[in-house]
Amino acid sequence: MDILKTKSDMREWSKKKKKDSKTICLVPTMGYFHQGHISLMEKGKPLCDELVVSLFVNPAQFGPNEDLNSYPSNIENDLALAEKAGVTAVFLPDKKNIYPENFQTQIKLQDLPKFLCGKFRPVHFAGVATVVTKLFNIVMPDIAIFGQKDYQQLQIIKQLTLDLDFDIKIMAGDIIREKDGLAMSSRNAYLSKVQRTSALSLSKSLNLAKELIAGGEKNPAAVKNRIEAFICTFPETNIEYISFCNPKTLENIDSIENHVLLAIAVKVGKTRLIDNALINPAQ
Ligand code: PAF
């Protein structure tokens, strides 16, 4: 497994592979790997000749009061896990290499960041869109894979790929859950024992919503109220949003008829957790 620490080394590596007609799949990450990351690598492995993982905690996507400085990290372990998953190169740049002095450009989408997490994290998606655009230009992948837990991020990346004419196939990886249902996240490492139990309120809410909808409930507000009351029974929870929306545009819907996205963000203690489900009332 090759480790490339600068964008020029990474680009040279990719150019050489492309010259040899190799296809490249990129899994962008911020490290501290769990099974969710590994599943994205495993998904990519059979689809390409070269599997690249980028590992960069992107300061541009953290707000001033967010967890940039405490974001968990274990690079040695990440490299061992990546190698085991069959990764052929890890792109491990530092901050200065990605954002040199006098860096000035931002990629901002018009509509998709107005909803869900974007409402509460005003700088987040411009930071994500900018770094992902840079990663696409540096690594030049044929395929890039993103987890569906960050559903809004995935939609934003699909849109920017289309808008900016990247010749890259964007693929989604399923949400990977712990045995008890908690969606895997590097941020789960922050949770105390009590908070870990409260964190289950998210996945349990999704199940509760599915049950209510399967029982014929079509009113999003009614389901939302039930979920809200349910989450509030868990200690240290603070709901940021519960949203039923159109899975493509992310706009709120007022009746649960076709495919809908239910997306939830809850602060458990200081840890912000998200989860979501695509629900089809016909099924
Ligand atoms: O999902 C993430 O880990 C990050 O937002 C990403 C896509 C690697 C960009 O920094």
Side-chain angles (χ1 to χ4, degrees), residues 28-30 56 58 61 124 128 131-132 146 150 153 157:
T29 80
M30 299 206 298
F56 177 64
N58 173 34
Q61 69 188 72
H124 178 65
V128 169
V131 83
V132 169
F146 297 84
D150 295 296
Q153 167 172 286
I157 287 159

Side-chain angles (χ1 to χ4, degrees), residues 19 72 107 212 220 226 245:
K19 212 168 146 211
I107 304 292
L212 294 170
R226 285 284 302 273
C245 52

Side-chain angles (χ1 to χ4, degrees), residues 67-254:
D67 57 343
L68 173 62
N69 293 328
S70 54
Y71 199 81
S73 165
N74 188 344
I75 291 177
E76 220 169 282
N77 191 48
D78 286 350
L79 294 177
L81 290 173
E83 182 141 44
K84 205 166 149 221
V87 170
T88 46
V90 175
F91 179 39
L92 187 63
D94 67 16
K95 232 172 19 190
K96 269 216 168 113
N97 190 248
I98 293 296
Y99 298 113
E101 231 172 89
N102 202 30
F103 184 87
Q104 308 193 18
T105 304
Q106 257 194 344
I107 304 292
K108 274 192 187 169
L109 285 81
Q110 190 115 14
D111 294 325
L112 286 170
K114 286 182 187 156
F115 308 101
L116 308 176
C117 295
K119 269 193 188 166
F120 300 86
R121 305 186 73 191
V123 300
H124 178 65
F125 288 116
V128 169
T130 304
V131 83
V132 169
T133 300
K134 286 168 70 66
L135 291 170
F136 284 177
N137 282 325
I138 297 164
V139 179
M140 299 176 284
D142 301 280
I143 300 173
I145 310 186
F146 297 84
Q148 188 134 342
K149 185 170 79 69
D150 295 296
Y151 187 94
Q152 187 173 17
Q153 167 172 286
L154 177 64
Q155 290 309 109
I156 284 173
I157 287 159
K158 282 183 179 166
Q159 188 67 46
L160 86 79
T161 303
L162 207 66
D163 291 350
L164 300 180
D165 303 304
F166 281 114
D167 188 12
I168 299 172
K169 182 171 180 188
I170 305 300
M171 297 184 71
D174 291 339
I175 299 177
I176 305 297
R177 299 181 179 282
E178 303 286 355
K179 275 205 190 85
D180 59 5
L182 177 66
M184 289 195 188
S185 162
S186 304
R187 291 191 168 99
N188 292 347
Y190 299 143
L191 300 168
S192 70
K193 213 169 161 204
V194 172
Q195 291 168 348
R196 174 66 181 74
T197 306
S198 291
L200 281 179
S201 62
L202 285 92
S203 56
K204 286 187 170 168
S205 296
L206 298 176
N207 293 336
L208 173 61
K210 283 180 196 162
E211 271 170 37
L212 294 170
I213 293 165
E217 184 59 76
K218 288 195 179 325
N219 180 359
V223 183
K224 248 170 98 166
N225 287 342
R226 285 284 302 273
I227 295 179
E228 227 168 72
F230 175 72
I231 293 175
C232 289
T233 63
F234 290 81
E236 296 189 58
T237 54
N238 202 341
I239 297 169
E240 206 164 76
Y241 66 77
I242 298 168
S243 186
F244 278 98
C245 52
N246 176 311
K248 275 225 157 89
T249 64
L250 307 183
E251 281 161 335
N252 276 326
I253 48 133
D254 38 46

Side-chain angles (χ1 to χ4, degrees), residues 4-19:
L4 295 315
K5 291 198 168 173
T6 65
K7 52 190 179 186
S8 53
D9 284 354
M10 183 71 243
R11 192 176 275 133
E12 282 313 307
W13 187 96
S14 288
K15 271 189 189 164
K16 189 169 173 302
K17 298 297 177 190
K18 284 185 172 276
K19 212 168 146 211

